[in-house]
């Protein structure tokens, strides 16, 4: 039995709270979790792209094709994740989550590009 005024767990919505009220109320905590997940995913995809190009000696045609395929896969996953996250955040009316998602997804590649530019 549910007590009146008892909202239950953090994730549960009461009958009086709509989806839009819940998303507005929890936009900050969701944005933090999204940022952590995005940073981890972007770092793993960048690592996958870099490691796929490492060979010992001159790469043969098969190694070059494998490296290109791994890079294409990483880029596709990154782009789809970015677009899907923005669409979901917009659909749920969570502007803070959308901005944090965009910033977190661009942070890792941006830092890598800045690092490479500074050291070349």
């Amino acid at each position: 039995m549910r007590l009146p005024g008892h909202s239950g767990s953090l994730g549960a919505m009461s009958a009086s709270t709509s989806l839009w009220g819940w998303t507005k109320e929890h936009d900050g905590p969701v944005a933090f979790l999204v940022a952590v997940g995005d940073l981890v995913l972007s770092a793993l995809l960048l690592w996958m792209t870099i490691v796929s190009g490492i060979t010992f000696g001159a790469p043969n045609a098969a190694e070059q094709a494998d490296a290109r395929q791994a890079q294409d896969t990483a880029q596709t996953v990154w782009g789809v994740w970015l677009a899907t996250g923005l669409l979901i955040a917009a659909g749920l009316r969570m502007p803070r989550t959308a901005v944090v998602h965009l910033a977190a997804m661009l942070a890792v590649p941006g830092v890598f590009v800045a690092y490479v530019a500074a050291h070349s």
Side-chain angles (χ1 to χ4, degrees):
M1 181 170 163
R2 189 174 222 176
L3 298 174
H6 179 67
S7 63
S9 68
L10 175 66
M13 288 188 294
S14 67
S16 65
T17 305
S18 68
L19 174 64
W20 308 128
W22 184 90
T23 58
K24 183 177 180 181
E25 182 180 341
H26 296 295
D27 193 13
V30 169
F32 175 76
L33 294 174
V34 165
V36 170
D38 288 344
L39 290 171
V40 169
L41 177 72
S42 290
L44 286 173
L45 291 173
L46 180 64
W47 176 78
M48 181 176 129
T49 301
I50 292 170
V51 170
S52 68
I54 296 175
T55 60
F56 299 100
N60 60 28
E63 290 173 335
Q64 289 176 345
D66 289 344
R68 185 73 227 158
Q69 182 180 8
Q71 292 168 358
D72 290 344
T73 301
Q75 290 170 355
T76 301
V77 169
W78 187 87
V80 168
W81 189 268
L82 175 64
T84 303
L86 290 173
L87 288 173
I88 290 171
L92 291 175
R93 300 179 189 170
M94 299 177 89
R96 183 177 299 148
T97 299
V99 170
V100 167
H101 172 65
L102 181 62
M105 289 297 289
L106 295 176
V108 172
V111 167
F112 178 71
V113 168
Y115 176 80
V116 169
H119 289 86
S120 58

